[in-house]
Amino acid sequence: MQHPHRNFLSACLAFGVSLIALNAHAFQTSAPPEPAKFPAEGKIKYVERDSILEFKALPNYSEPDWVSEKFEKTGKLPPLKDRLPDEPLVYKTGNMPDGTGVYGDTLRHVVGGRPEGWNYMAGQTQGWGGIDIALSECLTRTAPLFQVDAKDTEPLPNLAKSWEWSQDGHKLTMHLIKGAKWSDGVPFTAEDIMFYWEDGVIDPNVSPLGGGASPEAFGEGTTLTKIDDYTVEWTFKSAFPKQYLYTMAYPNFCPGPAHILKPQHPKYSKNTYNQFKNAFPPEYMNMPVMGAWAPVSYRPDDLIVLRRNPYYWKVDEKGQQLPYVDEIHYKLSTWADRDVQAVAGSGDFSNLEQPENFVAALKRAADENAPARLAFGPRLIGYNLQMNFSANGWGSPDEREQAIRELNRNQDFREAVTSAIDRKAVGDSLVKGPFTAIYPGGISSGTSFYDRNSTVYYPYDLEGAKAALAKIGLKDTDGDGFVNFPAGTAGGKNVKIVLLVNNTYTTDKSLAEGLVGQMAKLGLRVVLNSLDGNQRDAAHYGGRFDWLVRRNTTELASVVQNTEQLAPVGPRTSWNHRAPEGKQVDMMPFEKEMVDLVNRFIASQDNAERAALMKQYQKVYTQNLYTIGLTEYPGALIINKRFSNVPQGTPIFMFNWAEDAVMRERLWVATNKQGKYELFPQQLPGKPGDKGPIN
Ligand code: GLA
Ligand code: CA
């Protein structure tokens, strides 16, 4: 009998790979090879959590002169101190890299997404790239925590300015910022919070943007009640589940304006849920926000413009109302163009995340006179092949699709697929050099919870993979090079797998096309379902896919943010295994183990225990191939040199994207460096629904 792995041992010895897990599986696994060293260039300056911000009243407040002259003195706006909360959020100067700033200028973003509308709460995208992050404020905030080097840290206060736990740890009382207003001047209160919770999160027909804010994300049986206008109280089944403070940050607890949304919600109107979702199309201007800028102009496939919110509730220590920057642009283009424009200086900001652009961007940025700074961070961008594990109806599969789901649920099949992927070639196909690393799947190697020795890697072994397919009865019975289903399953036809991919990213497309080729060598026929971002998301969340290629989200890059998405802890928390309506997730035994580990992680207050649980999680995940890792690499933040207050070492991705981590409301541009990019100088957001800004 031929042993499919006869060359494996010698190969391992030759490459210095250690064999740590000689298990019962047909494939011999190991820890992944040590990745090429890639020191993050932007060294993070670590600070104490409490050094970033506080809430307090200041003796005086100020705003741009043109706002006081044109709007306040003419009675178009109430006095500034009446627009600010009793105790605004104050950013401490000591934590500002360049200190307090001056007003003016424009931050020019470029995005590859397109807005569906402004109903974030009903799951509409605003086009990504940080648009929604600029509009929405959430109960807590975590993105800036990348600079806090404390294991015992917790999320920063934001709309919730403080909180305390009951003695038994089952109740959490949150104090909301008092006297703050939406950008149209209407008070922000516990009503907004309760509306978001009752008619968004726990209404099964509404699912806020990001898809993760289902009730389970806050723990089974969790309730929220209003105590008074500025106090809400959470009740949890478990004691001190501090992990949920992270769930209350972006993207899961960012309420919208109840006074605008509620009248359109089916519970309070004749609207259907679909009509509610679409009640605020992109053309609807001046949607009230709690964020630093509100949308005032939209031209399809061209541009979205945001202007400063005169009711913004954050200030600097001098009492200057934030933001410093008056206008934000979102050029509606492509993601690749975002990199090109940022390095060229016609855009101001990019998360350099598509390796195909690394070399050109690096060359350009190396020039002393380059308009933008570029700094790489840790290896936190990863891609996985995800298989649809639902065999009980998510996405209403037809016969072929159901047969694929059964295959996806077969460990031997997953082992064959992962072993047929040459990950070195995958990485090199994106960019040559020390960037990409072999990634078996699971927690990103750039996070503190990562443990290489708990990571199970199935090395490239095409012959072994073919043998494994044959073992489960997949053979090419008609000699066309692709394996067929056994007679009796799906008509004995060729196994055909449809791979869902987002065609607005070069990297996603390259990886998917590469997979088609590598799977063909294995004898598996894979065809692409290549959709633009919004359609892709709809297909994904609707369960209409066999496989998908997908960039990792924050649970794998941070572990503590969106933790519930690490496993099917609820019917809608997993990315590749959700339940059809009214049913439970049909979990495989190893998924139950994962769920148990994640739930224990969420409930635990003990750092050593949490670290140990994540090691076990990583092992179960990678051993059983919950997803199939493809590659991982670092990303770089590109930002125009005229901006001050960019925190050193800001990663493009960790608890959230860099658009949040850089704290855009604190960015400023020195007067002599300011550009002339403003399209609506000295104008402010108008009334909700009005055409544009006001003079
Ligand atoms: C997209 C981009 C990311 C980031 C996020 C922000 O996903 O690819 O770089 O800008 O939007 O939501
Ligand atoms: Ca065939």
Side-chain angles (χ1 to χ4, degrees):
M1 201 186 104
Q2 266 206 349
H3 192 266
H5 311 292
R6 62 194 182 285
N7 291 323
F8 178 60
L9 198 63
S10 49
C12 288
L13 295 175
F15 291 106
V17 177
S18 66
L19 296 173
I20 58 144
L22 291 172
N23 50 45
H25 292 283
F27 292 93
Q28 287 179 332
T29 57
S30 67
E34 199 77 81
K37 285 266 171 298
F38 193 89
E41 294 161 358
K43 280 269 171 288
I44 297 168
K45 210 179 131 230
Y46 287 102
V47 303
E48 299 284 322
R49 171 179 179 270
D50 295 343
S51 71
I52 301 173
L53 56 89
E54 65 191 315
F55 289 82
K56 67 172 183 193
L58 296 174
N60 301 298
Y61 299 107
S62 59
E63 62 188 333
D65 287 342
W66 60 266
V67 181
S68 2
E69 294 300 320
K70 281 182 65 180
F71 294 89
E72 193 180 301
K73 288 196 180 142
T74 57
K76 287 184 191 159
L77 273 181
L80 176 58
K81 75 164 183 2
D82 298 339
R83 278 179 272 138
L84 289 169
D86 305 356
E87 293 186 330
L89 185 155
V90 184
Y91 281 112
K92 297 187 182 178
T93 313
N95 180 254
M96 291 181 169
D98 304 299
T100 57
V102 296
Y103 290 118
D105 211 344
T106 301
L107 175 59
R108 298 164 304 159
H109 286 282
V110 175
V111 294
R114 292 295 180 273
E116 292 173 327
W118 306 105
N119 202 344
Y120 177 93
M121 169 184 176
Q124 283 191 317
T125 173
Q126 282 76 64
W128 304 109
I131 308 181
D132 56 322
I133 301 171
L135 305 173
S136 319
E137 295 277 350
C138 317
L139 279 177
T140 61
R141 192 174 191 185
T142 54
L145 290 181
F146 75 87
Q147 51 174 315
V148 177
D149 183 24
K151 280 225 169 102
D152 296 309
T153 194
E154 62 176 16
L156 296 167
N158 200 48
L159 290 174
K161 69 174 191 175
S162 63
W163 49 81
E164 29 340 289
W165 294 91
S166 63
Q167 245 175 13
D168 67 2
H170 289 282
K171 282 192 193 304
L172 173 69
T173 309
M174 282 194 144
H175 305 283
L176 304 175
I177 177 138
K178 198 169 179 179
K181 304 195 167 62
W182 292 92
S183 55
D184 61 349
V186 171
F188 163 80
T189 69
E191 280 303 310
D192 296 298
I193 301 295
M194 295 316 297
F195 175 65
Y196 181 82
W197 176 255
E198 284 168 357
D199 299 314
V201 178
I202 63 178
D203 182 335
N205 301 301
V206 180
S207 136
L209 185 71
S214 56
E216 302 75 35
F218 299 89
E220 231 185 77
T222 297
T223 62
L224 179 64
T225 51
K226 174 180 162 176
I227 302 294
D228 62 36
D229 275 354
Y230 298 105
T231 317
V232 291
E233 186 183 84
W234 296 88
T235 308
F236 300 105
K237 285 253 160 86
S238 55
F240 298 107
K242 294 191 179 161
Q243 187 60 52
Y244 296 128
L245 291 168
Y246 286 86
T247 321
M248 295 172 200
Y250 181 91
N252 287 338
F253 213 115
C254 316
H259 64 286
I260 301 284
L261 296 168
K262 201 166 176 172
Q264 302 294 331
H265 190 284
K267 205 156 125 191
Y268 314 92
S269 75
K270 293 203 170 112
N271 279 345
T272 62
Y273 278 98
N274 214 33
Q275 286 167 329
F276 169 58
K277 182 172 181 176
N278 295 304
F280 306 93
E283 295 73 27
Y284 183 99
M285 286 292 104
N286 304 305
M287 183 73 172
V289 299
M290 289 302 285
W293 304 269
V296 300
S297 168
Y298 165 68
R299 293 197 302 255
D301 285 324
D302 183 9
L303 189 69
I304 298 176
V305 183
L306 276 53
R307 288 289 297 174
R308 64 178 301 117
N309 166 6
Y311 288 88
Y312 198 52
W313 44 285
K314 302 185 183 180
V315 302
D316 67 16
E317 280 186 337
K318 287 185 177 161
Q320 299 190 92
Q321 186 187 30
L322 299 176
Y324 295 121
V325 170
D326 286 331
E327 190 166 303
I328 296 217
H329 290 176
Y330 282 97
K331 180 110 195 78
L332 303 173
S333 178
T334 66
W335 295 114
D337 190 40
R338 179 172 71 169
D339 298 337
V340 171
Q341 295 218 32
V343 288
S346 52
D348 290 323
F349 188 106
S350 189
N351 299 324
L352 182 66
E353 61 194 0
Q354 302 199 73
E356 293 90 334
N357 295 344
F358 282 10
V359 174
L362 273 168
K363 271 195 190 137
R364 187 69 206 258
D367 183 342
E368 226 179 86
N369 301 315
R373 260 183 243 123
L374 182 159
F376 274 95
R379 247 189 210 103
L380 288 172
I381 308 290
Y383 273 87
N384 272 289
L385 160 62
Q386 302 195 342
M387 297 181 175
N388 193 331
F389 284 162
S390 168
N392 68 350
W394 180 34
S396 312
D398 62 20
E399 193 196 349
R400 180 198 63 79
E401 290 164 334
Q402 184 67 23
I404 300 295
R405 308 271 178 104
E406 306 289 349
L407 277 182
N408 291 343
R409 291 169 67 94
N410 183 324
Q411 171 82 16
D412 292 317
F413 177 71
R414 295 195 301 280
E415 287 185 10
V417 170
T418 199
S419 305
I421 298 173
D422 178 351
R423 291 179 171 78
K424 174 82 172 73
V426 169
D428 285 350
S429 75
L430 301 180
V431 62
K432 299 243 162 39
F435 304 102
T436 64
I438 293 210
Y439 171 56
I443 300 169
S444 301
S445 67
T447 68
S448 56
F449 285 98
Y450 177 76
D451 177 49
R452 183 168 157 258
N453 289 319
S454 304
T455 308
V456 180
Y457 168 53
Y458 292 78
Y460 180 51
D461 176 6
L462 187 57
E463 291 315 309
K466 285 182 179 167
L469 278 195
K471 191 180 131 203
I472 56 170
L474 298 183
K475 292 180 183 149
D476 180 14
T477 49
D478 51 9
D480 66 353
F482 292 115
V483 299
N484 295 59
F485 280 112
T489 307
K493 287 192 209 133
N494 272 349
V495 172
K496 184 181 99 180
I497 296 164
V498 181
L499 175 62
L500 179 63
V501 59
N502 186 339
N503 67 21
T504 60
Y505 290 94
T506 318
T507 309
D508 296 54
K509 279 197 293 183
S510 329
L511 289 172
E513 281 157 15
L515 259 178
V516 170
Q518 301 220 359
M519 289 301 110
K521 287 189 196 154
L522 173 62
L524 271 184
R525 176 154 181 255
V526 176
V527 299
L528 298 184
N529 180 21
S530 180
L531 299 177
D532 76 33
N534 298 344
Q535 285 180 297
R536 190 227 73 104
D537 288 354
H540 177 187
Y541 306 149
R544 297 187 301 276
F545 65 96
D546 299 335
W547 287 6
L548 51 86
V549 159
R550 186 163 175 273
R551 191 176 66 196
N552 289 346
T553 28
T554 118
E555 68 281 3
L556 292 176
S558 77
V559 176
V560 293
Q561 185 69 56
N562 296 15
T563 308
E564 72 285 351
Q565 294 182 328
L566 287 170
V569 301
R572 291 186 282 165
T573 63
S574 159
W575 295 108
N576 57 324
H577 199 177
R578 296 189 182 184
E581 235 189 273
K583 287 199 185 153
Q584 301 277 310
V585 181
D586 53 348
M587 276 188 271
M588 294 178 270
F590 81 89
E591 293 179 284
K592 289 196 180 131
E593 269 182 74
M594 288 173 59
V595 166
D596 179 55
L597 290 165
V598 169
N599 283 335
R600 281 162 63 197
F601 177 87
I602 290 173
S604 170
Q605 307 302 314
D606 176 333
N607 286 327
E609 187 189 9
R610 277 159 67 95
L613 286 166
M614 271 306 129
K615 285 185 185 178
Q616 285 181 54
Y617 168 86
Q618 177 81 341
K619 186 141 200 195
V620 176
Y621 183 129
T622 51
Q623 176 94 59
N624 293 285
L625 302 159
Y626 178 63
T627 66
I628 312 278
L630 295 173
T631 186
E632 63 171 7
Y633 51 82
L637 179 63
I638 309 178
I639 187 157
N640 195 282
K641 286 177 183 165
R642 70 184 197 288
F643 287 92
S644 292
N645 269 358
V646 181
Q648 201 178 304
T650 311
I652 68 162
F653 191 53
M654 195 180 278
F655 301 97
N656 194 2
W657 290 98
E659 289 91 339
D660 195 5
V662 295
M663 296 181 270
R664 283 175 292 182
E665 63 271 37
R666 299 189 333 186
L667 296 181
W668 55 273
V669 181
T671 315
N672 62 347
K673 290 187 195 158
Q674 293 194 358
K676 293 208 171 10
Y677 310 118
E678 270 179 283
L679 292 174
F680 300 97
Q682 306 203 349
Q683 298 182 46
L684 288 175
K687 285 207 189 70
D690 275 6
K691 263 200 158 57
I694 50 166
N695 262 298

